[in-house]
Amino acid sequence: MPATVHHRACHLCEAICGLRIETDGDRILSIKGDPADPLSRGHICPKAVALQDIHNDPDRLRRPVQRIRGTDRWREISWEEALDSTAQRLVEITQRDGVDALGVYLGNPTVHNYGMMTHQKNLFRHFHTRNRFSATSVDQLPHHLVSLWLFGHKSLFPIPDIDRSAYFLMLGANPIASNGSIWTVPDVRKRIKALRKRGGKLVVVDPRYTETAELASEHLFIRPGSDALFLLALVHTLFADDLVAPGPLGAFTTGLSELAAALADFTPEFAAAHTGIEASTIRRIAQEFAQAGAAICYGRMGVSTQRYGALCQWAIQLLNILTGNLDREGGSLFTLPAVDQVSSIGPGGFARHHSRVRQLPEFDRELPASAMAEEITTPGTGQIRALFVGAGNPVLSTPNGRQLDAALAQLEFMVCLDPYLNETTRHADIILPPTSPLEHDHYDLAFHINAIRNTARYNEAVFAKPEGTLHDWEIFTELGNRVAALLGQPAQPVTAPHEIIDMGLQIGPYSERQGSVHALTLDKLRENPSGIDLGALQPQLPDRLQTADKTIDCATPQALADLDRLRAAFSAGDSGALRLIGRRHVRSNNSWMHNYHRLVKGKERCTLLMHPQDMATRGISDGDRVHLSSRAGSVTVAAEASTGVMPGVVSLPHGYGHGRPGVRLHTAARHAGVSCNDVTDDLALDVLSGNAAVNGIDVEVALA
Ligand SMILES: Nc1nc2c(c(=O)[nH]1)N[C@H]1C(S)=C(S)[C@@H](COP(=O)(O)OP(=O)(O)OC[C@H]3O[C@@H](n4cnc5c(=O)[nH]c(N)nc54)[C@H](O)[C@@H]3O)O[C@H]1N2
Ligand SMILES: Nc1nc2c(c(=O)[nH]1)N[C@H]1C(S)=C(S)[C@@H](COP(=O)(O)OP(=O)(O)OC[C@H]3O[C@@H](n4cnc5c(=O)[nH]c(N)nc54)[C@H](O)[C@@H]3O)O[C@H]1N2
Ligand code: SF4
Ligand SMILES: [Mo]
């Protein structure tokens, strides 16, 4: 029988590579990159091939399971029973204790699964709880806030236009391992090499000599957590050395003199004392950046998930704006996606209410994930008694995971929408497993917004939906309808996700209605399963700005107010303690790619990288087991000597720690590792944004 070829985007990371998947009946014969995909051009990484392992994994749940009361044992139950009893418990508890008694945590795969994005409201429209959390606050929250403040919308991200750039200053990102983030840039290696080949420069600022730094023209070590000083010193230098030249942006940019005054004491000398980067180097980089013609400043996880994450992201955009590199070809540009969320969903809001226990600010109706455990364990009105977790593993992915682990055990009811029995879902009463990714269709609602080129692509499911299974969006809809019935309300009419996308396309910027030659509809995308190219990113300002007065105000009040905190912290001096940072590997993905043999085989990856100098002073040798500890907790792990980390810095990947009892991940159990977030601290925050500081916390290391 001839093989059937399916086109399908990989949804595992933000690069959204196009794939060609060959099947024979229900067997996958091969998974390859799709050279006809206008965005990814045939690129894939080793994880794409593991899509078949997810699909075939015997540990993946196919039916709902319920915990046998008071035990760690589970029984399969029918969908009717699972959905009825979940709806009933959610209604019971919220009617008794108020709607805030329901907590919700949504994890990273939510944004890689468009049905989850479009249909979660079918359930949550009934529960407007303040206790909503997501992976956003251990990740990109500062990016959203800065976009909201400067550009008027949480999702208006400036996207590095690497293919046309001459100078790239990159902080706290390792796209060679991560394949890019808030920057959908498949095949980034080729693009960096092309930048270098045409004489462009890549400067990487990172406490580790990363896989990306290996490709750079220059790498600068920086003391973790001190980037805000480095970045603000660059901005300071633009003013001091008369390098401010916003170009056309000047017509709608305000607040420059106030900004210059506020940054007067953030000198290169002050930064040098704390970052480890010399003042003369900072001045040189400011000059190079301003004079490059087309330059990009970009920073990701390492500068978001640290104590000054929002200030870092703010300063990064100030550099782009003040040098005229925002909205410039070869600088950073806004996208114009085919289904345009910027024009169709609200701009987002900040600090409209605060968490009950620690008074941390909401963003976009979500509270910081670092507050979740205390909101479960602290008695009083508004205490979380029931928890809904969808596509998340916060026990391994949020700070002080052990504390959350213990808190989850105190809940009255917990339900998880997840295909696995893992470190988080093991605490559930009911687990609702969705269809496998290859059993549902796919449109990337989230990541076209961040892509280096405007493209659109829709893919049909590779396999038919098996009897007796439900998609994520159907589970939300079914639960929502049951809740509605219990509350005496009408059910929601069923509109499938692809119908919503079709409507979005038909009113979007490439629709016939808007006079576009592309005349996009879902049918047109169906006829072009490798995707349709909508062209390179274009300058769009000031039209695309969503601020009320169509200006960019650089004197952001919230950021200016936070400068005192920064100044005070660094004026107090450095404890000199070891600082913990994370690390990603191309064969891993957060906490849930360790159950597939082809991704975990080979050398152990969950090790603590340490500079030989720091090992020697503690009597530690390569391979020794060490105690890594902080205020929050400790783990025991093998130390690995590396001159690739800066002295004073240790690095441990996150997403491991699969050795907990009751977890049903047979391959992951053999590569269990330890959880980095057993050491990170729920009290270590970027106070301004509420984002977790999982990077740059003070730790101690001693021989075990
Ligand atoms: N120390 C430290 N901590 C970190 C980070 C770090 O760098 N260092 N990184 C942070 C970042 S950037 C992120 S995004 C978070 C991630 O944090 P989380 O989103 O909480 O964790 P994941 O590991 O992505 O867990 C994904 C879960 O979704 C399930 N899943 C997978 N696909 C689907 C699906 O299609 N449907 C459903 N319903 N479930 C699915 C998986 O089984 C798994 O349980 O971790 C953060 N935590
Ligand atoms: N293979 C793989 N790919 C992934 C993921 C994965 O887990 N594995 N996760 C996906 C997700 S959810 C995300 S959000 C993205 C993240 O994408 P990236 O942000 O590109 O990935 P990271 O590897 O977390 O890069 C963070 C870098 O910051 C550095 N760093 C740590 N602290 C500091 C600091 O204080 N200052 C500076 N300047 N640098 C610092 C680290 O050494 C590291 O090199 O990756 C996505 N892609
Ligand atoms: S880089 Fe790898 S994991 Fe990411 S989308 Fe492409 S193939 Fe999938
Ligand atoms: Mo992330």
Side-chain angles (χ1 to χ4, degrees):
M1 202 175 98
T4 313
V5 176
H6 308 260
H7 294 81
R8 163 71 198 222
C10 176
H11 67 289
L12 293 175
C13 90
E14 298 177 41
I16 64 171
C17 301
L19 308 177
R20 285 170 59 94
I21 303 182
E22 282 191 339
T23 60
D24 178 2
D26 57 7
R27 273 192 329 127
I28 295 169
L29 302 177
S30 69
I31 299 181
K32 298 202 172 92
D34 179 2
D37 185 298
L39 184 63
S40 64
R41 311 178 301 194
H43 173 75
I44 52 167
C45 85
K47 289 189 293 299
V49 187
L51 279 175
Q52 62 194 296
D53 303 334
I54 303 174
H55 186 70
N56 296 325
D57 190 353
D59 285 337
R60 184 168 62 80
L61 301 173
R62 266 78 171 170
R63 298 272 178 277
V65 291
Q66 182 175 44
R67 174 193 304 286
I68 301 171
R69 240 173 209 292
T71 72
D72 278 344
R73 284 176 293 125
W74 298 81
R75 65 179 182 104
E76 279 194 2
I77 56 173
S78 70
W79 277 105
E80 288 303 309
E81 194 182 348
L83 296 165
D84 283 345
S85 101
T86 299
Q88 197 133 32
R89 295 302 305 276
L90 297 182
V91 169
E92 237 168 58
I93 292 173
T94 49
Q95 288 200 329
R96 188 195 65 206
D97 291 343
V99 75
D100 294 337
L102 174 64
V104 177
Y105 176 91
L106 295 177
N108 169 276
T110 308
V111 288
H112 294 271
N113 178 329
Y114 85 117
M116 287 191 78
M117 291 176 77
T118 53
H119 282 62
Q120 51 169 288
K121 65 173 185 296
N122 286 8
L123 174 61
F124 299 128
R125 73 190 167 105
H126 300 293
F127 302 107
H128 292 288
T129 170
R130 289 185 167 203
N131 283 314
R132 282 188 68 113
F133 307 88
S134 80
T136 291
S137 52
V138 268
D139 190 348
Q140 81 285 6
L141 175 48
H143 296 252
H144 289 302
L145 272 181
V146 167
S147 286
L148 179 63
W149 290 335
L150 292 175
F151 314 128
H153 195 286
K154 63 180 178 182
S155 300
L156 262 183
F157 299 127
I159 303 305
D161 186 20
I162 185 171
D163 294 346
R164 295 180 286 185
S165 194
Y167 193 93
F168 199 140
L169 175 60
M170 184 185 293
L171 298 96
N174 187 12
I176 294 298
S178 70
N179 286 295
S181 184
I182 314 203
W183 185 33
T184 288
V185 59
D187 208 359
V188 67
R189 181 186 297 274
K190 207 180 269 172
R191 297 175 198 274
I192 292 175
K193 286 190 170 159
L195 166 82
R196 294 289 314 279
K197 207 165 157 202
R198 58 177 188 266
K201 273 193 95 176
L202 169 65
V203 180
V204 169
V205 182
D206 198 299
R208 187 166 79 84
Y209 183 68
T210 60
E211 296 77 359
T212 306
E214 285 173 26
L215 302 181
S217 350
E218 183 174 357
H219 167 247
L220 299 168
F221 277 132
I222 189 163
R223 175 91 169 135
S226 68
D227 303 76
L229 296 181
F230 170 76
L231 288 160
L232 293 174
L234 290 174
V235 180
H236 170 105
T237 306
L238 295 181
F239 284 114
D241 294 2
D242 208 13
L243 295 168
V244 173
L249 302 176
F252 47 88
T253 300
T254 62
L256 298 198
S257 47
E258 201 183 326
L259 180 65
L263 300 184
D265 57 345
F266 286 95
T267 59
E269 283 69 25
F270 184 39
H274 300 281
T275 56
I277 300 174
E278 284 178 27
S280 59
T281 306
I282 297 175
R283 289 201 169 87
R284 170 176 57 82
I285 288 182
Q287 192 130 48
E288 287 176 4
F289 192 88
Q291 291 167 353
I296 297 162
C297 184
Y298 160 85
R300 206 36 208 103
M301 276 296 285
V303 286
S304 300
T305 50
Q306 54 146 292
R307 280 196 168 88
Y308 305 97
L311 281 181
C312 286
Q313 292 302 339
W314 178 66
I316 284 170
Q317 294 316 329
L318 293 178
L319 277 169
N320 289 327
I321 294 165
L322 296 177
T323 54
N325 280 301
L326 179 75
D327 203 44
R328 171 194 277 176
E329 286 184 11
S332 297
L333 295 142
F334 297 112
T335 59
L336 190 61
V339 178
D340 184 18
Q341 295 203 56
V342 167
S343 55
S344 63
I345 60 171
F350 179 58
R352 292 161 297 185
H353 61 84
H354 290 78
S355 67
R356 181 179 60 109
V357 178
R358 221 191 308 169
Q359 296 301 307
L360 298 175
E362 64 80 39
F363 166 74
D364 211 19
R365 308 284 174 213
E366 290 178 1
L367 294 169
S370 296
M372 193 154 70
E374 69 204 21
E375 294 297 336
I376 295 172
T377 55
T378 311
T381 314
Q383 180 184 10
I384 299 174
R385 303 298 306 146
L387 185 67
F388 182 104
V389 178
N393 191 1
V395 165
L396 295 192
S397 55
T398 66
N400 205 343
R402 286 284 171 190
Q403 177 176 274
L404 182 65
D405 215 350
L408 296 183
Q410 299 181 18
L411 288 164
E412 197 175 319
F413 178 70
M414 176 169 165
V415 55
C416 292
L417 177 59
D418 203 287
Y420 285 105
L421 183 42
N422 65 21
E423 301 72 20
T424 295
T425 64
R426 73 193 177 110
H427 292 291
D429 296 283
I430 291 179
I431 306 176
L432 306 169
T435 47
S436 121
L438 299 181
E439 291 162 356
H440 60 75
D441 62 356
H442 184 74
Y443 181 88
D444 215 299
L445 203 45
F447 297 104
H448 286 303
I449 302 177
N450 305 344
I452 52 157
R453 206 174 166 81
N454 292 312
T455 66
R457 179 183 48 205
Y458 171 78
N459 300 130
E460 304 282 3
V462 173
F463 296 114
K465 188 172 89 157
E467 264 300 299
T469 62
L470 292 173
H471 301 311
D472 285 284
W473 68 270
E474 293 176 314
I475 298 171
F476 277 122
T477 305
E478 290 288 332
L479 282 173
N481 287 344
R482 279 167 171 78
V483 171
L486 290 167
L487 299 174
Q489 293 173 8
Q492 194 81 342
V494 180
T495 313
H498 72 267
E499 297 173 291
I500 297 175
I501 293 305
D502 198 15
M503 289 187 281
L505 292 169
Q506 295 198 35
I507 57 168
Y510 307 94
S511 61
E512 198 167 10
R513 187 184 302 199
Q514 304 281 344
S516 165
V517 292
H518 295 290
L520 287 191
T521 62
L522 196 67
D523 281 340
K524 183 144 183 205
L525 292 187
R526 280 197 174 105
E527 287 157 20
N528 297 274
S530 292
I532 291 183
D533 189 16
L534 304 168
L537 304 189
Q538 307 276 345
Q540 297 182 74
L541 295 192
D543 291 357
R544 188 84 168 143
L545 288 177
Q546 304 292 309
T547 48
D549 56 0
K550 293 269 180 203
T551 67
I552 301 171
D553 179 11
C554 294
T556 311
Q558 297 89 335
L560 292 180
D562 203 35
L563 293 175
D564 285 339
R565 180 173 68 100
L566 179 70
R567 197 182 284 112
F570 284 92
S571 303
D574 191 318
S575 64
L578 288 175
R579 292 239 164 111
L580 176 65
I581 62 168
R583 181 164 93 242
R584 281 177 158 80
H585 190 282
V586 73
R587 287 178 180 270
S588 181
N589 188 31
N590 296 330
S591 76
W592 69 286
M593 287 284 117
H594 302 144
N595 210 40
Y596 316 118
H597 176 70
R598 82 177 83 223
L599 294 183
V600 290
K601 64 184 184 208
K603 189 170 164 263
E604 192 195 338
R605 300 206 189 96
C606 187
T607 58
L608 186 74
L609 294 187
M610 236 181 140
H611 194 276
Q613 225 169 282
D614 292 323
M615 296 174 83
T617 55
R618 290 166 180 79
I620 297 167
S621 308
D622 188 43
D624 279 349
R625 298 192 63 74
V626 295
H627 275 306
L628 167 70
S629 59
S630 70
R631 184 206 71 90
S634 68
V635 294
T636 305
V637 62
E640 185 179 337
S642 169
T643 49
V645 284
M646 191 180 178
V649 175
V650 292
S651 164
L652 185 68
H654 78 286
Y656 289 89
H658 306 297
R660 287 155 166 84
V663 170
R664 197 186 295 166
L665 297 166
H666 286 91
T667 303
R670 291 195 295 274
H671 306 266
V674 295
S675 177
C676 180
N677 286 318
D678 288 352
V679 180
T680 60
D681 193 338
D682 56 308
L683 298 184
L685 284 171
D686 172 20
V687 175
L688 173 53
S689 65
N691 207 35
V694 292
N695 281 297
I697 67 157
D698 287 1
V699 291
E700 282 169 28
V701 177
L703 199 59

